[in-house]
Amino acid sequence: MSCVQPGRCTAVGGFVSQAGNDFVLVQEWNGASWRLLPITSPDPQFSALYGVSCPLATRCAAVGETGAQRTLAERWDGGAWRKLPTPSP
């Protein structure tokens, strides 16, 4: 989780649907309640975000992994999350 100020936080993670598919998860805290932010999971077999850093409310970077331990990075620009190209060892 990363907070740009008290009452303004972003949290990332993942969840598994009842069908057994994994999805990335991003939520935003406004000081009173959480809301889901739209994000596309790149791999329904496995996707998770493990960390996020937000130096500004409109600038975040989140990292995790997707299928077969492939790296995953996403960038928030204040309007949408976009997958970033990353090398995988």
Side-chain angles (χ1 to χ4, degrees):
M1 183 166 69
S2 180
C3 300
V4 295
Q5 62 187 22
R8 182 76 185 235
C9 300
T10 301
V12 299
F15 71 97
V16 179
S17 71
Q18 290 182 350
N21 294 327
D22 283 18
F23 296 93
V24 292
L25 176 70
V26 179
Q27 292 192 18
E28 183 178 74
W29 175 254
N30 65 10
S33 63
W34 289 98
R35 78 175 175 106
L36 286 172
L37 294 178
I39 187 169
T40 301
S41 290
D43 184 346
Q45 297 301 316
F46 180 82
S47 295
L49 293 170
Y50 301 132
V52 65
S53 178
C54 302
L56 301 169
T58 58
R59 294 279 184 247
C60 294
V63 295
E65 67 179 304
T66 181
Q69 297 182 328
R70 304 298 291 179
T71 59
L72 173 62
E74 299 270 352
R75 180 183 66 207
W76 172 252
D77 64 10
W81 285 94
R82 289 179 175 56
K83 187 177 176 207
L84 297 171
T86 60
S88 290

